[in-house]
Amino acid sequence: MRKFHTVTVVGLGVIGGSYAKALSALGYRVLGVDSDAQTLQAAADDGAIEQGASDPDAFFAQSDLIVFALYPSRIADYLHAHLHAIAADCVLTDVAGLKSHFVQQICASLADRADLQFVFCHPMAGREKRGYAYADPSVFCGANFIVTPTRTACEETIERVEALAREIGFGRIRRITPQLHDEMIAFTSQLPHAIAVALINGDTHPDTGDFIGDSYRDLTRIANINEDLWTQLFLENADNLIAQLDAFERQLRIVRDAVAARDAQTLRETMIRAGIRRRKLESDRAKTQ
Amino acid sequence: MRKFHTVTVVGLGVIGGSYAKALSALGYRVLGVDSDAQTLQAAADDGAIEQGASDPDAFFAQSDLIVFALYPSRIADYLHAHLHAIAADCVLTDVAGLKSHFVQQICASLADRADLQFVFCHPMAGREKRGYAYADPSVFCGANFIVTPTRTACEETIERVEALAREIGFGRIRRITPQLHDEMIAFTSQLPHAIAVALINGDTHPDTGDFIGDSYRDLTRIANINEDLWTQLFLENADNLIAQLDAFERQLRIVRDAVAARDAQTLRETMIRAGIRRRKLESDRAKTQ
C-alpha cells in the first residue's frame, strides 16, 4: 500500500495539533495551516510541523494528504475557496464529530474536482480543553476511529487512510454510514455532553467543591465545553439528540420512580443491569488493546 | 495532640482495606476484622494489618480507635452487639456515605457507653470496584473529607480524627451537619450515580463500544455500581435524591428545549455557564493541593 508523504493539517487546534505531532513523530512531512501566528510558531518550535502558513495554497499544491481539522461547518466553504490549489489526486480527510449534513455539503463543494477523494473520518478522541497548547497525540492511543465512506473515495484510498489511523495508534476502526454515525454519536458523545452541562448547571451551593468525589469530577469533566463547536454539533444533529435525551429521561425515570416507591428490588435490578453493561464495555475494550 | 496507637478496621473492603494500608504505612498498629478469611490473609500478607480475625472483641479491647467500614445499615447493630468489648474511652469513626438516619441509629446504640465518642466521617474517595483486592490508599490523596459532628464527640476528639485524616493525605476537611451532608451528597454523589446507571441502561446498540470516546467512558465508569450498597444509600436518602433528580431534569430540559427550538444563543449561554463552573471547580481544587 502506498504511504502518504506530505500531509497538510488545516487547523492546529487540540485535534489538528495532535495529528501534526503524531504524524511528524512518525516521519511524515507535515505542513501546518492556522490563522494564528503564535500557534504556527509553537508547532514549528515543537517540530510538529516543518512549515506553517495562514494561506494553504502553496502547501496544498505539494501535499498528497490534507487533514481538515476545522469546525465542521467551515470545511465545505474552505475547501471550495482553495480547491484550485490542491494537487492532483490528493486525498482529503476530516475529523468532524458529525457527518450526514456536512458530508453532503463537502461532497457538493468537491464536484469540480473528480480527481480528489475525501475519506470522512471521526477520530473518537479529544480533550475538554481547546487549542494547540493541549494537543497531545497520546489521546489517540487505543481510541476508536470511525470512517463513514461515501462514493467520493475508492476502497484503496479508504484503506490507506485507515492504515494511517492504525499507524497513529487508534484501536478499533469501524466503517458505518454517515446517518448511523450521527445516530450513534448522539448517544455516545452528544448525550454525555448535554448531561454534563445540565449536571453542573444544577449546582446551587457555593461550596460544592468541598463535597465532591471522583464521581462528580468525572461526570462534569466535559462540562468545560467549547460552546461554539458543540452548539453547532447539537443543532446539526438535533433530531437524533432529542431522541436520545428523551430515551435517557425515560431511563432516569425508572430510577426516580423506584426511589419514590421505595422499590429496592427494581433499584437493585436496574443497578445490576448497569454494572453488567459497564463491565462488558471494559472487557470489550481490553480485547482490542 | 495525642495520636492514636492501635486502630481496628472493621470491614476490609475497598475503603476499609485502603484505610488499613494507609494507617499501617504511617506506622499505626492496625488490626483487621472481616468475615472473609482470604481477605484477612491477603491484608496480613500485604502488611496492611498486624493481625486479623472475624470476631472483633479481642481487638476492640486493645484499640484506641475503631474504624467501621461496614455498610451503613449494619453499623448500629454491629456496635450494639460488641459494645461490651470496646476499651474505655475508645474513639469510634465510620466511612458511611450517608449520615442523618444512620447517625441517629448509631447514637442510640451507644447510649450505654458514655465514655465512647463517635466521630462521624465521610471520606469522599472510593473506587467503582469492590473488595480488598482494589484497596488503594492513594485514592485518599487530596480527596475531600467530611465530618458531621454530633454531641457524641468533643472538640478535641474531632480534631484528633481530623488530624489523622490529614496524615492519611486527605485534602479539604469540612464539618457540616448530618442533614446538610445528606442534601449535598444527594447532588454530588447520588445524582451522578443515578445518571450513570440511566445512561448506560439506555444503550440500545450491540456495538456501542466501537463508537465511544472518553466522554461516555467517564460518565459510565461509576455505572459499575455495588447494587446492595447504593440501593441502601438511595432509599435512605430518597427525598433529597428525588429533589436532585427533578432539579437535574429541569436543567436537562433547558438543553432539550433549546435544541428543539434550534435556539443557538440559549445553548451557547448554557454551555458557557457550565464551562465557567467547571473551571472554577478545577481552580478551587488546585488551591487545596
Side-chain angles (χ1 to χ4, degrees):
Chain A
M1 193 180 295
R2 263 184 313 143
K3 286 187 67 166
F4 296 106
H5 180 271
T6 299
V7 185
T8 293
V9 178
V10 183
L12 295 173
V14 65
I15 296 296
S18 301
Y19 263 86
K21 287 183 177 181
L23 292 169
S24 57
L26 289 166
Y28 291 93
R29 178 168 179 246
V30 180
L31 306 171
V33 177
D34 201 280
S35 57
D36 182 68
Q38 285 186 317
T39 295
L40 292 171
Q41 190 59 53
D45 291 347
D46 284 350
I49 58 172
E50 186 188 289
Q51 291 174 61
S54 59
D55 185 292
D57 290 0
F59 293 167
F60 280 5
Q62 48 186 312
S63 296
D64 52 352
L65 178 68
I66 300 172
V67 180
F68 291 94
L70 299 169
Y71 281 16
S73 65
R74 289 196 53 212
I75 299 174
D77 283 349
Y78 194 93
L79 189 54
H80 187 74
H82 299 281
L83 201 60
H84 62 279
I86 299 174
D89 302 317
C90 183
V91 175
L92 315 176
T93 189
D94 70 332
V95 301
L98 208 57
K99 295 302 178 196
S100 315
H101 172 72
F102 297 116
V103 163
Q104 282 181 350
Q105 271 191 349
I106 293 166
C107 288
S109 73
L110 271 180
D112 293 342
R113 288 288 302 270
D115 62 311
L116 301 180
Q117 300 187 55
F118 204 116
V119 182
F120 295 94
C121 297
H122 180 189
M124 294 213 60
R127 296 284 295 270
E128 69 278 18
K129 312 251 163 113
R130 57 183 104 169
Y132 179 79
Y134 296 98
D136 174 4
S138 74
V139 299
F140 298 146
C141 185
N144 288 321
F145 191 87
I146 310 179
V147 184
T148 61
T150 67
R151 271 180 288 180
T152 58
C154 69
E155 175 63 26
E156 191 211 333
T157 301
I158 296 170
E159 286 175 13
R160 288 177 72 197
V161 171
E162 290 175 339
L164 185 66
R166 240 172 253 114
E167 214 185 334
I168 290 172
F170 284 95
R172 210 171 295 206
I173 297 176
R174 282 287 303 259
R175 294 187 196 180
I176 48 171
T177 64
Q179 288 69 30
L180 184 56
H181 169 275
D182 290 357
E183 278 176 44
M184 294 296 298
I185 248 53
F187 176 65
T188 62
S189 174
Q190 299 187 324
L191 176 60
H193 280 80
I195 289 171
V197 165
L199 176 58
I200 206 160
N201 278 345
D203 178 10
T204 55
H205 201 281
D207 295 337
T208 304
D210 291 358
F211 304 99
I212 64 176
D214 287 333
S215 58
Y216 187 80
R217 247 176 246 122
D218 278 4
L219 265 77
T220 58
R221 181 183 61 83
I222 54 173
N224 189 6
I225 195 168
N226 177 333
E227 65 273 6
D228 295 318
L229 176 61
W230 284 90
T231 294
Q232 194 171 106
L233 294 174
F234 277 19
L235 292 185
E236 290 298 344
N237 204 26
D239 293 341
N240 285 326
L241 177 55
I242 288 171
Q244 292 298 340
L245 283 164
D246 291 345
F248 171 72
E249 202 174 303
R250 286 192 294 276
Q251 290 294 332
L252 202 59
R253 279 268 148 188
I254 294 173
V255 177
R256 189 203 183 281
D257 291 347
V259 173
R262 273 55 170 179
D263 178 353
Q265 191 177 340
T266 299
L267 261 187
R268 284 189 81 253
E269 286 166 4
T270 306
M271 290 179 183
I272 289 171
R273 194 158 62 244
I276 291 169
R277 283 162 178 257
R278 174 61 204 191
R279 288 190 294 276
K280 181 176 182 301
L281 210 61
E282 283 167 35
S283 67
D284 285 354
R285 192 173 191 220
K287 281 178 211 153
T288 55
Q289 290 194 319
Chain B
M1 195 180 294
R2 264 184 313 143
K3 286 189 66 165
F4 296 106
H5 180 272
T6 299
V7 185
T8 293
V9 179
V10 184
L12 295 173
V14 65
I15 296 297
S18 301
Y19 263 86
K21 287 183 177 180
L23 292 169
S24 57
L26 288 166
Y28 291 92
R29 177 167 180 246
V30 181
L31 307 171
V33 177
D34 202 281
S35 57
D36 183 67
Q38 286 186 318
T39 294
L40 291 172
Q41 189 60 54
D45 291 347
D46 284 349
I49 58 172
E50 186 187 290
Q51 292 174 60
S54 59
D55 185 290
D57 289 0
F59 293 168
F60 280 5
Q62 48 187 310
S63 297
D64 52 353
L65 177 68
I66 300 173
V67 179
F68 291 94
L70 299 169
Y71 281 17
S73 64
R74 289 195 54 212
I75 299 174
D77 283 349
Y78 194 92
L79 188 55
H80 186 73
H82 300 280
L83 200 61
H84 63 280
I86 299 176
D89 302 317
C90 184
V91 175
L92 315 176
T93 188
D94 70 331
V95 301
L98 208 57
K99 295 302 177 195
S100 316
H101 172 72
F102 297 116
V103 163
Q104 281 183 348
Q105 270 191 351
I106 293 167
C107 288
S109 72
L110 271 179
D112 293 342
R113 286 288 303 269
D115 62 311
L116 302 180
Q117 299 188 55
F118 204 117
V119 182
F120 294 95
C121 298
H122 181 189
M124 293 214 60
R127 296 283 296 269
E128 69 278 19
K129 313 250 164 114
R130 59 182 104 170
Y132 179 80
Y134 296 98
D136 174 5
S138 74
V139 300
F140 297 146
C141 185
N144 288 321
F145 190 86
I146 310 178
V147 183
T148 62
T150 67
R151 272 179 288 180
T152 59
C154 69
E155 175 64 26
E156 191 211 332
T157 301
I158 296 170
E159 285 175 14
R160 287 176 73 196
V161 171
E162 289 175 339
L164 185 67
R166 238 172 254 116
E167 213 185 334
I168 290 173
F170 285 95
R172 210 171 294 207
I173 297 176
R174 282 287 302 258
R175 293 187 197 181
I176 48 171
T177 65
Q179 289 69 31
L180 184 57
H181 169 276
D182 289 359
E183 278 175 44
M184 294 296 298
I185 249 52
F187 176 64
T188 62
S189 174
Q190 299 187 324
L191 176 61
H193 280 80
I195 289 171
V197 164
L199 176 57
I200 206 162
N201 278 345
D203 178 10
T204 55
H205 200 279
D207 295 337
T208 304
D210 291 359
F211 303 100
I212 64 177
D214 287 333
S215 57
Y216 187 80
R217 248 176 245 120
D218 278 4
L219 266 77
T220 59
R221 180 182 63 83
I222 52 173
N224 189 6
I225 194 168
N226 178 334
E227 65 273 7
D228 295 318
L229 176 61
W230 285 90
T231 294
Q232 193 172 106
L233 295 174
F234 278 20
L235 293 184
E236 289 297 345
N237 204 25
D239 293 341
N240 285 327
L241 177 54
I242 287 171
Q244 292 298 340
L245 283 164
D246 291 346
F248 171 72
E249 203 175 302
R250 287 193 294 274
Q251 290 293 333
L252 202 59
R253 279 269 147 185
I254 295 173
V255 177
R256 190 203 183 280
D257 291 347
V259 173
R262 272 57 171 178
D263 179 352
Q265 191 177 341
T266 299
L267 262 187
R268 284 189 80 252
E269 286 166 3
T270 306
M271 290 178 183
I272 288 171
R273 195 159 60 243
I276 290 169
R277 283 161 178 258
R278 174 63 203 189
R279 289 189 294 276
K280 180 176 181 303
L281 211 61
E282 283 166 34
S283 67
D284 285 354
R285 193 175 190 219
K287 281 178 211 153
T288 56
Q289 290 193 321

